Amino acid sequence: MNYLTAITEFKPASAQEQADQQTFLRFINNNPDVLLRENKIAHLTSSALIFNTSQDKLLMIYHNIYQSWSWTGGHADGEADLLQVAIREAKEETGLKQVTAAVDKIISLDILPVFGHLKNNQPVSAHLHLSVAYLLSASEDESLTIKPDENSGVKWIAVNELANYVSEPHMQVVYDKILNKR
């Protein structure tokens, strides 16, 4: 589904999500390059919480930049179908071969700050990720591999132990919000 349709059809579960949805739509309407990271102020990203088949574990990566266990995800890089971006990123960052959408609708919209950092020895200025999140599903039986330029660990973590692994408090709030919706 096209990103504009998916974001427009998203059903906010709170006043904050409704405000964020309106901010997304306003920014999209004023920035034709929102799908490209060349927009240095903000751009669309797509992430996912990946559940095992019994839905009691999440597949998380240890993110090299954020130094925390994190969901998978990344930049749209021009792709208008953000669910496909989330699936592509999940495969690239974990080594999974089979990943499916648990639900084909957006589970969460969040405006996330990205602090200035180095990536591949190049400076990246602080900016915002207009984060579109999905729920995905995969088998624990598949072998996992890291993506060394982005993460240094991939593992299944029990849902009820997630807070013990996440060192970014603002992201734990996002994960909790999503977990409470499912």
Side-chain angles (χ1 to χ4, degrees):
M1 177 183 300
N2 176 280
Y3 70 99
L4 185 55
T5 302
I7 293 168
T8 302
E9 291 179 357
F10 174 72
K11 303 291 186 227
S14 68
Q16 183 64 59
E17 282 188 339
Q18 186 173 23
D20 288 349
Q21 181 186 37
Q22 292 308 310
T23 299
F24 269 66
L25 293 171
R26 201 168 22 255
F27 194 82
I28 289 166
N29 287 332
N30 291 314
N31 292 275
D33 61 350
V34 71
L35 288 172
L36 302 171
R37 63 179 99 191
E38 283 76 15
N39 184 316
K40 301 297 185 189
I41 304 302
H43 41 260
L44 286 168
T45 61
S46 187
S47 298
L49 287 180
I50 306 168
F51 285 89
N52 62 352
T53 53
S54 59
Q55 295 195 348
D56 61 348
K57 292 181 184 172
L58 292 167
L59 185 58
M60 304 293 280
I61 62 166
Y62 191 81
H63 201 287
N64 292 340
I65 293 172
Y66 303 127
Q67 295 293 293
S68 179
W69 288 96
S70 176
W71 59 7
T72 60
H75 296 92
D77 289 333
E79 171 63 55
D81 186 336
L82 297 177
L83 175 57
Q84 291 308 308
V85 172
I87 291 170
R88 178 192 75 223
E89 292 290 329
K91 289 178 177 180
E92 286 178 5
E93 294 177 6
T94 65
L96 289 170
K97 303 287 186 241
Q98 297 293 318
V99 180
T100 59
V103 181
D104 65 355
K105 298 205 180 303
I106 296 169
I107 190 72
S108 184
L109 293 176
D110 299 282
I111 300 172
L112 303 174
V114 177
F115 299 104
H117 61 276
L118 289 177
K119 181 155 186 174
N120 300 324
N121 292 320
Q122 296 296 316
V124 176
S125 296
H127 59 281
L128 297 173
H129 280 173
L130 303 177
S131 175
V132 175
Y134 293 92
L135 296 179
L136 302 179
S137 181
S139 170
E140 281 184 83
D141 296 333
E142 279 200 57
S143 53
L144 304 173
T145 58
I146 64 168
K147 187 171 188 279
D149 63 323
E150 291 188 24
N151 66 62
S152 55
V154 179
K155 71 175 173 177
W156 291 98
I157 298 173
V159 171
N160 61 358
E161 294 178 17
L162 185 61
N164 298 330
Y165 291 87
V166 177
S167 60
E168 295 178 287
H170 72 284
M171 288 307 300
Q172 186 63 53
V173 171
V174 173
Y175 302 147
D176 288 343
K177 176 182 76 165
I178 293 170
L179 292 170
N180 288 329
K181 284 183 173 186
R182 65 181 180 104

